[in-house]
């Protein structure tokens, strides 16, 4: 039997502090899987440098010279985690039988990769890494993440709970993924749309081995908004239902005020008037905001801009 070629993909943005440590961990994992005859000796580590402005790319370059098992691509500028992942996944397409994506800070438990490969060998085309606990994350991150997942599920987005981007995808899944041409990427919600036979591997999320998170609150909020508006039109529906409800009330109010008028009981209802002006004004602004968010998405998508631009490729 031919052993599968595995690519382990890690996006890196300003990870100079930890990239060497990550490399030695990934390399020894690759070696041990090769000697266990789980994967082919042509398997590789693939770094996607997401336009880092520290020494990350220089270090990666020297690592590729030290070791032929390390390949790397560099995006022309910082495009964000999801685009860096997509660039590397599409680059690895046709070169490997399966690709596993991990965070460069090794928060994903790479010792579970052999299990993922075992599922792949049994026929799974996508294997999701699912966190069993977030004990090592900050309290804020735990609460906000669980709210985010619940909201997504409520909005009808099909998503694997507690799964981020630690995932194995077979070459067939990668081919399918390449058919998705959207620019606003949210890979963890795109993977379930692909279908095929899937499997899950549970793991415990670790602490960052060094360096700082590249996802401050501001980026997390914008990531969540992108995720919701890219995958659900329920917010627009909710606004429409509220609009309908308010419209029904306004009809009742119309009848009521006409009756009052003809009964000559009109008092100067300043407070009720001012309240409804504010309420309706606010509601309209909210509705316009939500619709605007989607129109913004359409605008960006119709431009069909490239999701990433690769500046340099190192593969010997
Ligand atoms: N990352 C990236 N581009 C960015 C931000 C992050 O490629 O603009 C990479 C980062 O180097 C890491 C992974 O995405 O490998 C996850 O980022 P991070 O660990 O900072 O996020 P957190 O785990 O805190 O959510
Ligand atoms: Mg991390």
């Amino acid at each position: 039997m031919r052993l599968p070629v595995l690519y382990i993909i890690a996006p890196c943005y300003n990870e100079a502090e930890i990239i060497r440590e990550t490399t030695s961990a990934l390399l020894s994992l690759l070696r041990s899987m090769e000697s266990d005859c789980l994967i082919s000796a042509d398997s590789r580590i693939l770094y996607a440098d997401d336009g880092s402005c520290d020494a990350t790319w220089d270090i990666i370059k020297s690592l590729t010279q030290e070791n032929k098992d390390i390949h790397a691509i560099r995006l022309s500028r910082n495009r964000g985690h999801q685009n860096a992942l997509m660039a590397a996944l599409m680059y690895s397409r046709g070169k490997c039988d399966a690709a596993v994506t991990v965070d460069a800070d090794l928060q994903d438990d790479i010792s579970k990769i052999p299990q993922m490969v075992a599922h792949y060998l049994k026929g799974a085309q996508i294997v999701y890494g699912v966190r069993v606990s977030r004990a090592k994350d900050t309290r804020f991150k735990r609460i906000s993440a669980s709210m985010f997942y619940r909201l997504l599920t409520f909005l009808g987005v099909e998503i694997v709970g507690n799964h981020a981007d630690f995932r194995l995808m077979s070459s067939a899944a990668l081919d399918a993924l390449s058919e998705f041409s959207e620019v606003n990427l949210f890979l963890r919600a795109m993977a379930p749309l692909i279908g095929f036979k899937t499997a899950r591997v549970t793991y415990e999320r670790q602490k960052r081995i060094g360096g700082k998170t590249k996802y401050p609150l501001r980026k997390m909020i914008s990531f969540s908004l992108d995720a919701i508006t890219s995958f659900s039109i329920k917010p627009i529906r909710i606004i429409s239902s509220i609009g309908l409800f308010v419209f029904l009330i306004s009809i009742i109010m119309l009848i009521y005020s006409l009756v009052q008028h003809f009964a000559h009981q009109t008092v100067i209802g300043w407070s009720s008037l001012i309240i409804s002006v504010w309420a309706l004004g606010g509601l309209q602004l909210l509705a316009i905001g939500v619709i605007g968010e989607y129109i913004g998405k359409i605008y960006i998508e119709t431009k069909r801009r490239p999701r990433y631009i690769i500046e340099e490729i190192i593969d010997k």
Side-chain angles (χ1 to χ4, degrees):
M1 190 189 73
R2 192 180 70 87
L3 295 172
V5 176
L6 180 74
Y7 269 42
I8 301 182
I9 292 173
C12 316
Y13 177 55
N14 294 347
E15 303 286 13
E17 255 178 80
I18 55 169
I19 195 72
R20 283 188 185 276
E21 196 179 331
T22 302
T23 306
S24 51
L26 290 177
L27 273 178
S28 61
L29 175 77
L30 215 58
R31 295 278 137 73
S32 82
M33 285 197 290
E34 280 168 13
S35 56
D36 291 345
C37 288
L38 198 59
I39 57 171
S40 144
D42 293 330
S43 299
R44 298 282 180 265
I45 294 168
L46 173 62
Y47 287 126
D49 180 301
D50 186 15
S52 299
C53 37
D54 65 356
T56 305
W57 181 243
D58 294 330
I59 301 174
I60 290 178
K61 271 208 280 201
S62 67
L63 286 168
T64 59
Q65 276 151 22
E66 287 160 29
N67 197 309
K68 69 163 186 54
D69 291 345
I70 302 171
H71 288 182
I73 58 174
R74 174 168 163 87
L75 302 197
S76 60
R77 52 158 294 162
N78 180 239
R79 293 290 291 126
H81 182 200
Q82 298 292 301
N83 290 300
L85 277 176
M86 192 64 163
L89 285 169
M90 289 304 106
Y91 173 77
S92 69
R93 203 178 140 224
K95 298 185 175 63
C96 62
D97 298 302
V100 176
T101 46
V102 297
D103 280 0
D105 56 11
L106 298 189
Q107 284 194 280
D108 304 319
D109 184 358
I110 58 167
S111 69
K112 300 283 177 166
I113 293 180
Q115 274 182 41
M116 292 178 137
V117 175
H119 280 295
Y120 163 74
L121 292 173
K122 278 189 243 148
Q125 305 292 326
I126 301 178
V127 185
Y128 297 103
V130 175
R131 282 174 296 237
V132 274
S133 99
R134 279 180 170 264
K136 289 183 182 150
D137 264 346
T138 60
R139 200 180 139 83
F140 174 73
K141 186 107 189 183
R142 269 206 308 271
I143 296 173
S144 57
S146 110
M147 272 167 48
F148 174 55
Y149 280 108
R150 261 188 235 160
L151 181 65
L152 279 180
T153 313
F154 168 73
L155 293 174
V157 182
E158 199 187 315
I159 197 156
V160 177
N162 284 319
H163 162 71
D165 287 300
F166 184 31
R167 179 173 50 236
L168 177 145
M169 295 180 91
S170 70
S171 53
L174 291 177
D175 286 345
L177 183 68
S178 72
E179 305 278 330
F180 289 71
S181 55
E182 60 215 78
V183 177
N184 290 286
L185 294 176
F186 187 51
L187 287 163
R188 69 194 72 167
M190 286 158 79
L193 295 178
I194 291 177
F196 292 137
K197 187 172 173 220
T198 64
R200 289 177 190 204
V201 163
T202 52
Y203 73 102
E204 210 159 301
R205 186 141 164 104
Q206 310 295 318
K207 268 212 172 92
R208 224 173 202 284
I209 55 172
K212 277 202 301 272
T213 174
K214 311 295 177 304
Y215 274 94
L217 182 63
R218 182 179 55 78
K219 263 202 193 172
M220 248 155 59
I221 292 175
S222 111
F223 184 58
S224 317
L225 276 181
D226 263 356
I228 291 169
T229 50
S230 294
F231 281 87
S232 172
I233 54 163
K234 231 176 172 172
I236 288 192
R237 300 239 171 93
I238 293 173
I239 294 283
S240 317
S241 332
I242 297 176
L244 186 67
F245 181 68
V246 173
F247 178 66
L248 290 177
I249 292 182
S250 70
I251 291 180
I252 297 170
M253 288 305 283
L254 182 80
I255 296 169
Y256 173 73
S257 51
L258 282 179
V259 169
Q260 292 291 69
H261 178 77
F262 288 115
H264 300 291
Q265 284 187 354
T266 36
V267 264
I268 306 161
W270 185 81
S271 33
S272 58
L273 193 70
I274 210 75
I275 286 169
S276 39
V277 167
W278 278 97
L280 283 175
L283 201 67
Q284 277 168 355
L285 282 181
L286 178 69
I288 292 172
V290 172
I291 292 166
E293 185 70 30
Y294 283 93
I295 292 179
K297 277 268 139 65
I298 297 169
Y299 172 69
I300 303 272
E301 293 287 351
T302 50
K303 281 187 192 295
R304 297 242 156 254
R305 282 190 177 141
R307 291 177 287 202
Y308 50 81
I309 294 166
I310 297 178
E311 183 180 326
E312 217 174 318
I313 293 177
I314 306 182
D315 61 340
K316 303 143 289 183

